[in-house]
Amino acid sequence: MSSSRASPIRWLNEALKAAAYRVQSYFGLLRRVLASAVTRPFYWRDLAQQMDTIGVASLGIVALTGLFTGMVLALQSSVEMKQFGATIYIGRLVGASAVRELGPVLTALMVAGRAGSGMAAQLGSMRITEQIDALSTLGVDPVRKLVTPRFLAALIMLPVLTVIMDVIAVGGGMLIAVVKLDLTATMYLRSVYQSLAQTGFIFRYIPIDVFGGLVKPLVFGGIIALTSCYYGMNTRGGTEGVGRATTQAVVSSSILILASDYFLTQLLIALLIE
Amino acid sequence: MSQAKPSPDSAGPVVMLRDVRLTYGSHVVLDEIGFSVSRGETMCVLGGSGVGKSTILKLILHLEEPDSGHVEVLGHDLETSGRAEIFEARQRMGMVFQGSALFDSLPIFDNVGFPLFEHTDLPLEEIRRRVREALSFVDLDYRRVESLLPSELSGGMKKRVAIARAIVHRPEILLFDEPTSGLDPITTRTIDNLIVKLRRELHVSSIVVTHDTRSACRIANRIALLQSGRIIFIGTPAEMLASDDAYVREYLE
Ligand SMILES: Nc1ncnc2c1ncn2[C@@H]1O[C@H](COP(=O)(O)OP(=O)(O)OP(=O)(O)O)[C@@H](O)[C@H]1O
Ligand SMILES: [Mg+2]
């Protein structure tokens, strides 16, 4: 067997090895982040700053996304429901879809596009201008100083932003329900509540849907920060490399968010509802 | 600048490389690199672009690891040292990066004070005093630059701020990656004099990577000349000027 014949196999082998290496170093980064989150020194100032950056940077687009999503959900479903005279159930539909799925997922995708890309670009340019080497040289662990605060900040801010998205989406739906479908706000909100109460409660008062809708953003926040920081920290090849890292960060985070959403939903159904 | 005299136990070399080899993929960057720098010595590393000068400094800081061979700093073999020892060794070194590597989100004051804020409990007043002292040392007017961001400085000013940051915590070893490239002749001379002064007054050991043969001859105790990843000459400036090796002569032209 000549070596040129074997090259696709060799290529596949190399590709698999590279992928395995990447997965390994991704989880290696996670391990270092977790370890430095519970040991000193801890960079509180950087955490506060990152929470501000992620929150403020994303608030506007999260609010707009929520508003239009809620409105379009109500509008779309009204067409069908009108036929059956069931517009009164609009709130159910908006509530369930927004809180269960669209709120967490759309928030995460928006934050990945806004804050995640920013993280990758910032760390990437710090990498290529040797600022990360300078940190190490000055006796500071770059993971502890740069990645851990971003990771924790995303973990904290994503659920907050998701709640904001949920509320605004429900509000957007209400706008349509009241203005275009002649429902009263009370009728609409009661129907939203019914949909949330439907799957039952956890800890007595918290609807399972709302709880599940808060577990997901925790995971998504971790994915966004870790993925973006991973690509940022491993940037190679000048300004072009920074662009590449930024794109890869957003694309990979988005795919990981959508994929993990499926498995999380499966898990939550298995744990909480069945 | 005042600094405690180094302890007398420190007679051996402060930096030693032995038979170091480093490759990126199939590209051999450094091969059979060996030299040592003793306390209070200034070693200049000369060589064309891309021969691996910056990489040597990164090896000494353990930012890169050699494929084979040993790098010893202040008596620690970095390959076998733990994280804590490497951190300790790094804190006794100062590095001026080729592109300055100032933290672009921090004003100059915080950049220069960074090592002190991170690793000491000095009161703010003392940190301020030391930062200003370091800035004055590199001929910068602290009143003017202290509160500016790195993006608001010229390239040469950034370089000098980077030097201030590298000396503010009074390290025993200083590594300079082309400290004077892109600077005017007067500032170049100031920085050359500064390196000599640090050696004379504080017994600081320096490794200076440079393109500039003239300033190397002015400041160095010894000069190493690199060509395609190997040291082809090492000796005093006088020996270098007297050398009849073809490449050395060509480089000196
Ligand atoms: N991360 C890397 N991946 C692959 N090759 C690299 C990497 N870093 C450096 N090199 C290669 O190593 C060689 C030495 O690089 P180095 O930066 O040490 O050169 P240099 O002597 O400092 O050059 P200059 O005078 O231009 O700064 C170069 O040929 C470069 O292409
Ligand atoms: Mg270089």
Side-chain angles (χ1 to χ4, degrees), chain A residues 31-271:
Chain A
R31 210 193 56 232
R32 284 177 67 188
V33 167
L34 295 178
S36 59
V38 293
T39 51
R40 278 159 54 84
F42 188 82
Y43 293 96
W44 290 103
R45 281 238 310 248
D46 296 80
L47 174 63
Q49 201 185 347
Q50 286 307 318
M51 284 171 62
D52 189 52
T53 306
I54 297 173
V56 172
S58 315
L59 196 59
I61 50 166
V62 162
L64 277 176
T65 311
L67 181 68
F68 286 113
T69 307
M71 283 166 63
V72 85
L73 277 175
L75 195 61
Q76 278 286 8
S77 42
S78 71
V79 179
E80 311 277 319
M81 292 193 158
K82 253 191 194 145
Q83 289 179 3
F84 307 109
T87 46
I88 186 150
Y89 295 122
I90 285 265
R92 281 187 166 226
L93 211 133
V94 175
S97 354
V99 174
R100 260 187 234 157
E101 276 308 326
L102 294 177
V105 171
L106 288 179
T107 307
L109 292 178
M110 287 297 149
V111 174
R114 191 75 165 81
S117 62
M119 285 181 203
Q122 197 191 4
L123 297 196
S125 67
M126 287 184 76
R127 165 62 76 198
I128 63 160
T129 55
E130 297 181 313
Q131 291 177 55
I132 291 182
D133 284 341
L135 273 181
S136 305
T137 305
L138 294 168
V140 172
D141 177 1
V143 170
R144 185 184 287 279
K145 170 92 178 163
L146 299 173
V147 184
T148 304
R150 284 170 173 76
F151 182 80
L152 295 178
L155 237 49
I156 297 167
M157 291 316 287
L158 250 266
V160 174
L161 288 167
T162 302
V163 168
I164 294 173
M165 165 87 87
D166 290 349
V167 170
I168 293 180
V170 167
M174 185 160 83
L175 203 68
I176 297 298
V178 173
V179 175
K180 291 193 82 148
L181 307 174
D182 295 328
L183 294 176
T184 68
T186 328
M187 272 150 67
Y188 172 81
L189 288 175
R190 187 178 300 139
S191 145
V192 170
Y193 176 78
Q194 277 165 356
S195 90
L196 296 181
Q198 196 177 22
T199 42
F201 291 83
I202 191 169
F203 307 127
R204 220 133 159 224
Y205 300 111
I206 306 173
I208 285 180
D209 276 344
V210 173
F211 180 78
L214 287 178
V215 172
K216 284 179 181 180
L218 265 181
V219 177
F220 296 161
I223 288 175
I224 294 168
L226 201 64
T227 310
S228 307
C229 291
Y230 175 81
Y231 283 110
M233 297 287 281
N234 290 299
T235 301
R236 290 262 134 54
T239 34
E240 212 173 297
V242 176
R244 233 178 1 248
T246 310
T247 313
Q248 277 175 329
V250 177
V251 171
S252 304
S253 312
S254 305
I255 291 171
L256 285 173
I257 287 164
L258 293 171
S260 66
D261 182 49
Y262 174 80
F263 292 105
L264 276 172
T265 306
Q266 188 87 73
L267 188 74
L268 287 168
I269 290 174
L271 286 182

